[in-house]
Amino acid sequence: SLDIARGFAIFLMILSHCVKGLLHKSQIPDWGIVPVHLFTKFSSSLFILVFGVSISLFFLKHVGKDSWKKKRFWMLKRGIELMVWYKILTYVQMFQFYPQKMIMDTLMFKRMPDFVEILSFYSIALMWLPFFLPLWARMGHVTKVLCIGGTFALGQYLHYNFDFWGYEIIKVLLVEEKGYYTFGQLQRGALVFLGLYIGDLYKYQRDNQGNTTLIPWSCIVSGILFLQYFYFANAKEFKETLLTIANNGGKHPFDLNFFCFSVGGSLLVLGLCLLANKVVQKYLRPISYLGQHSLNAFILHIIIIFYFYRYYFDLHHKVTYWQSLQLTLVCTVCIMTLMSIWTRIKRAFK
């Protein structure tokens, strides 16, 4: 179920990056922005929620046990690996059109890229999460809820009221800043905590032979409530608000509209994926396969779009919107094919 949710998130990200990486904004028709690219705004929040749920289900249970040291080391090593890929893919994204000085500034954290920044968030999060999880494991339910809300509120407050002693890079990485496509550790970290809490509740129901559909349905209902609030709060200018969100308005940092739409949609998708039975899972196997290899899929889609599509085939601003959608499907099929081949090679040499 988590692989399916992660697979939907990576596919939406591929769709967004492929279109925006190949087309100028003026080339995207309004009907393409809404609804097609509107739904891609679920992607990052869904990714982060699933990340939190996965940490809860597969790592939190090792806290305080002999196996925790090994798991903690794996998380730290994974964080370093993601930071290395973040830098490599930053260069892949920028080498064609940006001057060398700007590329070096970006590699040195003086600027931020706009397509691969999610890897930076995960990398930094994996540096502090292993030391936070023992504390989380000792928290009660009320404390965990307060931690989720308090972390998000603190991030928003610091963004609007504190300049971090003039060190903009610290502000960008911790609480985000307008003009930078970064994911703040505090605001998005609160989504990781929300995912942790969902995973904790799901695990509690499962271990105590409770109703394991209760948590998925709670996610669905919560997502619908968020989306309903978003609709009623913007009923008078609903279409204009949807267009703003589709164009990333309010994404960095979160404003209330983007938060309700993105997190509400993500909770809805996550709940539906957790409810999926074996028949549904069978038909969604290609999506789950994509989610199972999400890091490799992320790496490959950046290389395919920015090296092959834009540089090698010279397709930048030279395709139509329909063609960019077709290239999105080609990119996805290529990724799945390459991952399948690589998996078989690894099995052959074991």
Side-chain angles (χ1 to χ4, degrees):
S1 296
L2 292 179
D3 285 339
I4 293 170
R6 198 181 293 112
F8 277 121
I10 192 69
F11 177 74
L12 290 173
M13 191 172 287
I14 293 170
L15 171 62
S16 177
H17 288 175
C18 198
V19 172
K20 292 184 176 179
L22 294 178
L23 303 181
H24 188 270
K25 185 178 177 181
S26 61
Q27 294 178 276
I28 306 176
D30 287 346
W31 63 264
I33 289 289
V34 180
V36 178
H37 292 278
L38 185 66
F39 293 117
T40 64
K41 307 313 162 195
F42 298 163
S43 178
S44 58
S45 297
L46 182 57
F47 246 135
I48 294 171
L49 281 175
V50 173
F51 174 65
V53 176
S54 300
I55 293 292
S56 173
L57 294 180
F58 305 114
F59 288 88
L60 198 60
K61 63 184 178 182
H62 295 279
V63 171
K65 297 181 179 179
D66 294 338
S67 56
W68 173 236
K69 187 176 181 180
K70 183 177 180 181
K71 291 295 182 180
R72 183 177 59 193
F73 177 74
W74 185 93
M75 292 175 73
L76 293 170
K77 184 179 71 171
R78 187 68 157 184
I80 295 171
E81 179 187 357
L82 291 181
M83 183 57 69
V84 171
W85 277 115
Y86 168 61
K87 295 303 180 182
I88 293 172
L89 296 178
T90 295
Y91 181 80
V92 173
Q93 175 197 330
M94 297 181 71
F95 81 96
Q96 185 178 6
F97 295 117
Y98 293 88
Q100 286 296 317
K101 185 181 184 310
M102 192 176 289
I103 296 175
M104 288 304 300
D105 285 346
T106 307
L107 294 175
M108 298 299 292
F109 279 111
K110 295 179 181 178
R111 296 179 75 259
M112 297 294 162
D114 51 354
F115 283 88
V116 299
E117 188 55 39
I118 189 71
L119 285 188
S120 174
F121 168 80
Y122 280 132
S123 175
I124 297 172
L126 284 169
M127 298 297 180
W128 59 262
L129 264 174
F131 304 100
F132 175 80
L133 288 180
L135 177 61
W136 178 270
R138 294 194 296 270
M139 289 182 185
H141 290 291
V142 175
T143 310
K144 288 177 180 179
V145 173
L146 291 175
C147 182
I148 295 166
T151 303
F152 184 82
L154 177 63
Q156 291 293 87
Y157 176 82
L158 291 176
H159 168 75
Y160 290 107
N161 297 282
F162 192 58
D163 68 350
F164 291 87
W165 307 281
Y167 291 100
E168 194 172 49
I169 184 62
I170 298 177
K171 184 173 186 179
V172 165
L173 293 175
L174 285 182
V175 299
E176 308 183 14
E177 180 68 311
K178 255 186 177 176
Y180 292 88
Y181 294 92
T182 54
F183 296 86
Q185 291 294 311
L186 288 177
Q187 292 97 319
R188 317 289 168 152
L191 287 185
V192 176
F193 296 160
L194 178 57
L196 277 169
Y197 191 54
I198 292 171
D200 289 352
L201 294 175
Y202 187 87
K203 183 169 56 179
Y204 177 82
Q205 292 288 333
R206 183 190 62 191
D207 293 346
N208 291 278
Q209 297 182 345
N211 184 1
T212 54
T213 65
L214 180 62
I215 304 307
W217 276 114
S218 298
C219 290
I220 291 171
V221 171
S222 300
I224 291 172
L225 290 175
F226 271 115
L227 293 173
Q228 279 187 331
Y229 176 83
F230 166 77
Y231 172 76
F232 288 117
N234 300 280
K236 291 183 179 179
E237 38 190 36
F238 188 62
K239 290 183 179 179
E240 293 79 2
T241 306
L242 289 180
L243 189 60
T244 300
I245 289 176
N247 284 306
N248 283 338
K251 184 177 182 180
H252 300 287
F254 271 143
D255 69 10
L256 186 58
N257 280 334
F258 195 97
F259 174 83
C260 288
F261 183 81
S262 180
V263 176
S266 300
L267 285 169
L268 179 60
V269 173
L270 176 60
L272 290 172
C273 290
L274 289 174
L275 281 178
N277 58 31
K278 291 184 178 180
V279 175
V280 175
Q281 290 175 359
K282 180 180 178 181
Y283 286 105
L284 292 177
R285 190 170 293 170
I287 294 293
S288 65
Y289 187 77
L290 200 62
Q292 189 179 356
H293 302 276
S294 56
L295 176 58
N296 291 333
F298 189 93
I299 293 168
L300 288 170
H301 98 277
I302 292 294
I303 293 172
I304 289 171
I305 292 169
F306 290 94
Y307 181 79
F308 287 98
Y309 284 176
R310 284 196 4 172
Y311 176 71
Y312 190 79
F313 295 114
D314 192 26
L315 298 178
H316 189 233
H317 293 177
K318 294 181 180 178
V319 295
T320 65
Y321 179 70
W322 273 113
Q323 288 172 331
S324 71
L325 295 180
Q326 293 167 7
L327 288 169
T328 298
L329 293 177
V330 171
C331 179
T332 306
V333 171
C334 287
I335 289 169
M336 296 177 70
T337 303
L338 289 170
M339 289 191 302
S340 177
I341 293 171
W342 177 244
T343 301
R344 292 183 180 184
I345 291 174
K346 285 200 299 184
R347 287 176 181 170
F349 282 93
K350 277 187 178 181

